Amino acid sequence: MEKIRFALVGSGAIAPTHAQVLSRIETAELAAVYSRSCAKGRALAEQFGSRFFADYQELLESSIDAVAICTPSGVHADFAVQAARAGKHVLIEKPLEISLERADAIIKACEQYGVQLGVIFQRRFSPGVVRLKEMVTQGKLGKLSFAGCYAKLYRSQEYYDSGAWRGTWQLDGGGVLMNQGIHYVDLLQYLAGPVTEVTAHCATAGHERIEVEDTAAATVAFANGAIGVIEATTNAYPGLASKIELYGSEGTAIIENDDLVYYCLKSGEQYSASAAAEQVGVSSPQVTDENHEQQFRQFITAIQNKESVKVSGTEGRKSLEIILALYKSAFLGMTVTLPLRDSLFLKELADQSTIQKGFPVNLKISALSALKQ
């Protein structure tokens, strides 16, 4: 088969990871780079022997097959919808977008123009998560009673100061939940099933000059009757292991930094391992790329064989909706049920940009007042 010709859209922190992964995949080629930052984009293109484009429409008219979107989250739809209309397949770094309306616009465009859509949630491809998903599907844990995710991370003030879009409602779409914790919210619902209700508290507790939360805690209810928690912070110096814990009628299992480190079943099957020595991604924005590579390979195979993408737009939308429900709960001081009717309240928050040091707040917004009725 001919190689799938990719273009990177954006040249920020995650773009070099995508470029490195594509350079290792024999069925893919990094053919082009587009960036609004010409200097960074051109340097990235030259590093990987690709063509640089300063004009997005010119890029879409070139002989590429797919785009990998690595821009700030709040403009994903701007690039993805145009790419779909041009007949290009679309792979987007998490989150899919920052509102349900813009996420749905991407999904609709890709369906309408017959192109594949994938969302990067690379942790689903780690061997430990794959193994635990199999165990849950096979009923080895029995009926779940509790499921929790814990992302105790550290990000310095310099991290938030490094880009004008970081920590803003308009482009980042939220704080620790939307940017870092979304990986674990995705795994939580992927492993434990759909979430039906949330009650959340959020705060900006350890950083300055950001509009969004750096600390969050919530209780959640699942469709299968289980309850659980979501905890996330970027104030946990120097950064601790991130975990998923599942407790069922037939046993317990724990994921730590994507590794299945413990399970004990009433059947007698059990396993225990020490935590991974290297905590990459816990206290640092750095990420390893092995799971990215697995997800890219599956996306490419889906294009070539016209198969289903494992982490489709519909799959990527699920964690987004949960996080938006958490924000709605925290902002309004109320329990929120899913599915959400809309997420227009977040746009009004972005327009006001009044959140500074704690939630809930008196927003005095008409749309939010209507949500309480």
Side-chain angles (χ1 to χ4, degrees):
M1 292 184 180
E2 292 185 2
K3 291 184 177 183
I4 302 299
R5 292 168 54 84
F6 277 84
L8 284 184
V9 179
S11 56
I14 199 63
T17 296
H18 285 221
Q20 289 284 359
V21 165
L22 286 168
S23 71
R24 297 199 300 265
I25 298 176
E26 62 281 356
T27 54
E29 176 186 353
L30 177 55
V33 175
Y34 162 81
S35 177
R36 290 175 175 172
S37 173
C38 290
K40 289 177 65 177
R42 197 180 302 278
L44 187 62
E46 290 177 356
Q47 180 183 351
F48 289 92
S50 306
R51 182 181 175 188
F52 174 72
F53 288 83
D55 184 289
Y56 191 56
Q57 287 303 318
E58 185 181 351
L59 170 74
L60 294 179
E61 292 168 4
S62 69
S63 59
I64 61 168
D65 303 302
V67 295
I69 297 177
C70 303
T71 65
S73 306
V75 294
H76 284 175
D78 299 341
F79 294 104
V81 171
Q82 291 183 70
R85 287 173 179 164
K88 312 302 181 184
H89 303 287
V90 179
L91 185 61
I92 302 178
E93 263 292 341
K94 58 76 190 166
L96 174 57
E97 246 286 351
I98 63 170
S99 76
L100 296 179
E101 291 74 19
R102 289 174 65 82
D104 288 341
I106 297 172
I107 294 170
K108 180 179 178 181
C110 290
E111 290 175 347
Q112 180 178 352
Y113 293 100
V115 298
Q116 295 279 24
L117 170 61
V119 186
I120 293 290
F121 280 108
Q122 78 277 5
R123 285 172 169 80
R124 289 200 191 188
F125 292 79
S126 68
V129 171
V130 171
R131 172 63 177 141
L132 182 51
K133 179 65 173 178
E134 291 173 349
M135 291 171 65
V136 171
T137 301
Q138 293 165 3
K140 289 191 172 184
L141 294 182
K143 178 177 172 56
L144 291 181
S145 59
F146 181 90
C149 70
Y150 314 86
K152 306 301 177 62
L153 314 174
Y154 179 72
R155 296 293 184 269
S156 66
Q157 184 64 47
E158 289 73 22
Y159 166 82
Y160 288 103
D161 291 341
S162 66
W165 66 278
R166 291 193 185 279
T168 66
W169 290 111
Q170 187 172 7
L171 292 177
D172 220 354
V176 63
L177 287 172
M178 187 70 81
N179 199 312
Q180 291 89 17
I182 192 169
H183 281 294
Y184 302 96
V185 173
D186 174 69
L187 289 183
L188 185 69
Q189 64 82 31
Y190 178 60
L191 294 167
V195 171
T196 58
E197 186 176 282
V198 302
T199 306
H201 294 274
C202 297
T204 310
H207 295 90
E208 300 176 348
R209 299 183 294 281
I210 63 173
E211 302 167 358
V212 297
E213 87 290 351
D214 58 17
T215 302
T219 56
V220 299
F222 297 88
N224 58 17
I227 61 172
V229 298
I230 295 172
E231 299 178 4
T233 184
T234 53
N235 295 320
Y237 183 85
L240 306 175
S242 295
K243 297 181 180 182
I244 301 285
E245 297 182 354
L246 302 182
Y247 306 143
S249 60
E250 299 303 314
T252 295
I254 299 174
I255 292 279
E256 191 167 297
N257 291 343
D258 306 341
D259 295 324
L260 182 56
V261 298
Y262 176 83
Y263 61 85
C264 186
L265 309 181
K266 289 182 180 179
S267 65
E269 188 177 353
Q270 59 183 328
Y271 173 77
S272 180
S274 60
E278 189 177 4
Q279 306 293 319
V280 175
V282 173
S283 59
S284 165
Q286 277 188 304
V287 295
T288 56
D289 63 12
E290 291 88 351
N291 297 328
H292 270 88
E293 181 174 337
Q294 293 304 312
Q295 185 163 6
F296 263 92
R297 286 184 180 277
Q298 196 281 320
F299 184 72
I300 291 164
T301 299
I303 293 173
Q304 293 174 328
N305 298 337
K306 298 182 179 180
E307 299 173 350
S308 297
V309 175
K310 286 188 176 179
V311 191
S312 63
T314 301
E315 280 295 301
R317 186 186 188 276
K318 292 177 180 178
S319 53
L320 172 64
E321 183 176 31
I322 293 169
I323 288 170
L324 290 170
L326 294 171
Y327 287 150
K328 180 178 174 182
S329 173
F331 298 148
L332 298 181
M334 59 185 284
T335 297
V336 171
T337 58
L338 287 86
L340 291 180
R341 182 178 62 187
D342 60 56
S343 60
L344 299 177
F345 67 92
L346 196 64
K347 182 180 185 306
E348 298 208 30
L349 276 176
D351 290 342
Q352 280 201 169
S353 298
T354 56
I355 304 294
Q356 292 299 326
K357 283 294 176 184
F359 306 1
V361 294
N362 182 14
L363 295 170
K364 297 180 181 178
I365 296 178
S366 58
L368 284 171
S369 298
L371 287 173
K372 283 190 171 181
Q373 299 175 359

